[in-house]
C-alpha cells in the first residue's frame, strides 16, 4: 500500500523536535525506512541527532540523495496559535503545526516517494543505482553538528551521492514556481569597541567607544559592496544591533558592541569580506585611539549549480506535475545545501513557504500529495 505523505507529515509534526531535540521524529523515520529495506545509521554528534539511510549498493554509479531536517524553530507564544502547534491537525484540507512547511512535510514527501519507488521498481532497473537520505536535527540551530556531521561521516565511510535534492520550501506563491539553484553566503561580524569611561561634561578625560563604532559602521555602509553578479542579487549588509548597556545620560560608556550580517554573492567570500572589515577596523582604531575587536562567523559560502541535466530533470518533473515551469533562483536565506554543495551538485525544491516560522504554520494537504508526485517523477526520470 502506498505511503500517505500527509499522514506521515502529521505524525512527524506531533514529534516536538525543537532544535536540538529529536522529539521522536528520526526514530519514526528510521523504523519506517529500515522496514522498507534501507540501511540506516544514526550519526549523532554534539547532542544533535541525525540519520543517514541508503537503499541500494554503496557507491553505486548513480546515487540520488535527498536532504532535509526534522528540527523546527520554537513555537513562540503558544497561546497565539489557533491550533496546538504540535497537533498535526488536519482541518478543511489544511495541515496545521510547527514544521508544516519547514520542513517535515518535505521530508515526508520524499521519504514516501522513495519508499514507494523502490517497492514498485523492478530490481534490474536499479542494478547500479542507490537512494540516500541525509536527515538532520540541527538545520534551524548552529548547523555545526547536523548535515556537516553526516557529510563528515560519509567521507570517512566512503559513502557518496551523485546529486542531491534538498526539500526546503522554495515556492513563493504556488507549488512549482521556483527552484533554488544557489544561495548567497553569510558572514556575521561581532564588533566590540573598548574606550575610557568618563563624565560627558569632561570628554577630554574619556574616550567614547560609541563614536568610534558609529564611524566604523558608517564606513561599512557608505556604499554598496557590489551591484550584483550574473547569477546573484547585490550583496546586502545589515546592522542587527548596537548596544553599550548604558542606563545613564551623563556617562560616556567604556565599552560598546555591534553586530553586522552580510549576505554575499559570488563576488566575495567570507574570508575576503573579513579582510575588508578588518581593514576598516584598523583605520578607525588608528584614527580614534579606540581599541576595536572583530570576530567573524562564516556560516556558509555562496554557491551556484549551473543549469544542465540535473536542473532540467527537476524542472521537467515540476512542469509535468504542477503545470508551471519553475524560475531558477538564488534568492533567500541559507540552508544545508551550502554544505552539500561541497559533496555533489545540489538543488532545492519544496512547498510554498508563506507560513514557515510563523504562528499558525500550516499548509494545504493537496500540496504535500503533489510534492510526493514531483519527487516520484524525478526519481523515475533519474533512474530511467
Amino acid at each position: 500500500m502506498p505511503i500517505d505523505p500527509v499522514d506521515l507529515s502529521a505524525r512527524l509534526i506531533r514529534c516536538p523536535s525543537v532544535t536540538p531535540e529529536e522529539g521522536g521524529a528520526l526514530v519514526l523515520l528510521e523504523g519506517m525506512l529500515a522496514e522498507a529495506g534501507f540501511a540506516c545509521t544514526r550519526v549523532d554528534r554534539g547532542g544533535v541527532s541525525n540519520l543517514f539511510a541508503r537503499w541500494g549498493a554503496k557507491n553505486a554509479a548513480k546515487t540520488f540523495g535527498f536532504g532535509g531536517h526534522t528540527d523546527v524553530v520554537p513555537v513562540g507564544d503558544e497561546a497565539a496559535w489557533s491550533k496546538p502547534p504540535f497537533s498535526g491537525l488536519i482541518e478543511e484540507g489544511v495541515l496545521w503545526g510547527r514544521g508544516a512547511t519547514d520542513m517535515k512535510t518535505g521530508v515526508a514527501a520524499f521519504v514516501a516517494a522513495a519508499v514507494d519507488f523502490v517497492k514498485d521498481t523492478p530490481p534490474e532497473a536499479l542494478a547500479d543505482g542507490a537512494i540516500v537520505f541525509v536527515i538532520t536535527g540541527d538545520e534551524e540551530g548552529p548547523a555545526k553538528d547536523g548535515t556537516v556531521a553526516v557529510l563528515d561521516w560519509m567521507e570517512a565511510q566512503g559513502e557518496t551521492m551523485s546529486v542531491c535534492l534538498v526539500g526546503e520550501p522554495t515556492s513563493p506563491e504556488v507549488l512549482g514556481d521556483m527552484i533554488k539553484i544557489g544561495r548567497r553566503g553569510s558572514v556575521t561580524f561581532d564588533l566590540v569597541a573598548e574606550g575610557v569611561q568618563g563624565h560627558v561634561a569632561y570628554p577630554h578625560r574619556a574616550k567614547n567607544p560609541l563614536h568610534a563604532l558609529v564611524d566604523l559602521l558608517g564606513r561599512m555602509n557608505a556604499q554598496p559592496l557590489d551591484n550584483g553578479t550574473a547569477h546573484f542579487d547585490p550583496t546586502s549588509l545589515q546592522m542587527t544591533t548596537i548596544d553599550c548597556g548604558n542606563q545613564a545620560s551623563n556617562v560616556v560608556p567604556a565599552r560598546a558592541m555591534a553586530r553586522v550580517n552580510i549576505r554575499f554573492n559570488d563576488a566575495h567570500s567570507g574570508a575576503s569580506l573579513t579582510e575588508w572589515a578588518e581593514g576598516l577596523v584598523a583605520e578607525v582604531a588608528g584614527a580614534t585611539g579606540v581599541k576595536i575587536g572583530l570576530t567573524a562567523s562564516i556560516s556558509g559560502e555562496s554557491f551556484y549549480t549551473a543549469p544542465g541535466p540535473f536542473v532540467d530533470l527537476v524542472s521537467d518533473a515540476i512542469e509535468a506535475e504542477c503545470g508551471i515551469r519553475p524560475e531558477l533562483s538564488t534568492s533567500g536565506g541559507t540552508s544545508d545545501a551550502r554544505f552539500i554543495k561541497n559533496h555533489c551538485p545540489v538543488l532545492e525544491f519544496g512547498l510554498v513557504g508563506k507560513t514557515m516560522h510563523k504562528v499558525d504554520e500550516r499548509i494545504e494537504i493537496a500540496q504535500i500529495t503533489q510534492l510526493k508526485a514531483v519527487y516520484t517523477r524525478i526519481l523515475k526520470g533519474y533512474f530511467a
Side-chain angles (χ1 to χ4, degrees):
M1 186 173 181
I3 293 178
D4 179 3
V6 178
D7 175 68
L8 180 54
S9 296
R11 292 165 66 192
L12 288 172
I13 287 172
R14 294 183 193 119
C15 300
S17 52
V18 177
T19 313
E21 295 299 321
E22 186 271 330
L26 291 180
V27 172
L28 171 62
L29 292 172
E30 183 177 3
M32 176 179 290
L33 291 170
E35 185 178 351
F38 282 76
C40 298
T41 304
R42 284 285 293 273
V43 188
D44 299 355
R45 189 173 83 179
V48 173
S49 300
N50 306 296
L51 177 65
F52 173 87
R54 173 174 41 79
W55 188 95
K58 180 178 178 180
N59 295 327
K62 297 182 71 174
T63 300
F64 194 97
F66 283 105
H69 63 93
T70 55
D71 64 313
V72 297
V73 297
V75 301
D77 181 7
E78 189 167 345
W81 285 68
S82 301
K83 320 290 182 187
F86 294 112
S87 65
L89 181 66
I90 298 172
E91 191 173 274
E92 297 181 351
V94 174
L95 173 64
W96 294 76
R98 180 59 85 219
T101 58
D102 191 11
M103 60 162 286
K104 289 183 174 180
T105 42
V107 171
F110 65 58
V111 166
V115 170
D116 287 350
F117 175 74
V118 300
K119 285 192 298 186
D120 298 340
T121 303
E124 60 271 17
L126 291 172
D128 201 13
I131 297 174
V132 159
F133 293 123
V134 175
I135 306 176
T136 177
D138 189 34
E139 198 273 348
E140 301 290 8
K144 297 181 183 298
D145 293 307
T147 293
V148 174
V150 181
L151 293 172
D152 288 346
W153 178 88
M154 288 175 65
E155 183 176 5
Q157 298 296 317
E159 295 277 3
T160 60
M161 296 183 288
S162 306
V163 294
C164 185
L165 183 61
V166 177
E168 287 283 353
T170 61
S171 303
E173 299 296 333
V174 297
L175 181 64
D177 60 3
M178 184 176 288
I179 300 173
K180 301 292 185 181
I181 62 170
R183 294 277 190 167
R184 293 178 297 178
S186 177
V187 59
T188 296
F189 298 137
D190 284 297
L191 303 160
V192 178
E194 304 279 357
V196 177
Q197 183 175 316
H199 196 296
V200 295
Y202 304 94
H204 57 287
R205 296 176 181 170
K207 190 173 292 182
N208 197 322
L210 279 169
H211 291 180
L213 200 55
V214 169
D215 182 12
L216 173 60
L217 294 173
R219 296 187 191 204
M220 285 185 166
N221 201 44
Q223 59 187 24
L225 285 162
D226 58 67
N227 295 313
T229 65
H231 308 297
F232 289 87
D233 291 334
T235 293
S236 169
L237 181 150
Q238 299 296 324
M239 303 170 201
T240 59
T241 188
I242 304 173
D243 189 34
C244 66
N246 185 12
Q247 300 299 313
S249 62
N250 60 349
V251 174
V252 172
R255 189 174 185 269
M257 63 82 62
R259 182 171 293 125
V260 172
N261 178 264
I262 301 178
R263 298 298 171 103
F264 58 91
N265 57 37
D266 53 354
H268 312 276
S269 67
S272 70
L273 288 168
T274 301
E275 184 178 358
W276 166 79
E278 288 173 342
L280 294 179
V281 165
E283 289 177 10
V284 173
T288 63
V290 171
K291 180 182 176 182
I292 304 175
L294 181 149
T295 302
S297 301
I298 303 168
S299 60
E301 301 288 348
S302 67
F303 74 93
Y304 176 72
T305 300
F310 184 30
V311 174
D312 291 342
L313 170 70
V314 175
S315 298
D316 291 345
I318 293 168
E319 187 171 20
E321 294 293 339
C322 302
I324 184 173
R325 192 73 180 176
E327 175 188 350
L328 308 182
S329 174
T330 60
S331 63
T334 58
S335 76
D336 279 349
R338 70 191 189 272
F339 307 122
I340 297 171
K341 59 93 176 174
N342 295 324
H343 180 95
C344 66
V346 60
L347 300 174
E348 299 173 58
F349 174 67
L351 299 173
V352 175
K354 289 183 178 180
T355 66
M356 60 181 172
H357 293 203
K358 291 186 176 183
V359 167
D360 282 348
E361 185 175 351
R362 60 197 182 276
I363 196 72
E364 297 172 358
I365 61 172
Q367 284 194 43
I368 305 171
T369 303
Q370 194 174 22
L371 183 62
K372 177 188 175 182
V374 173
Y375 290 153
T376 300
R377 186 176 286 270
I378 290 170
L379 288 172
K380 288 180 177 179
Y382 185 74
F383 291 108

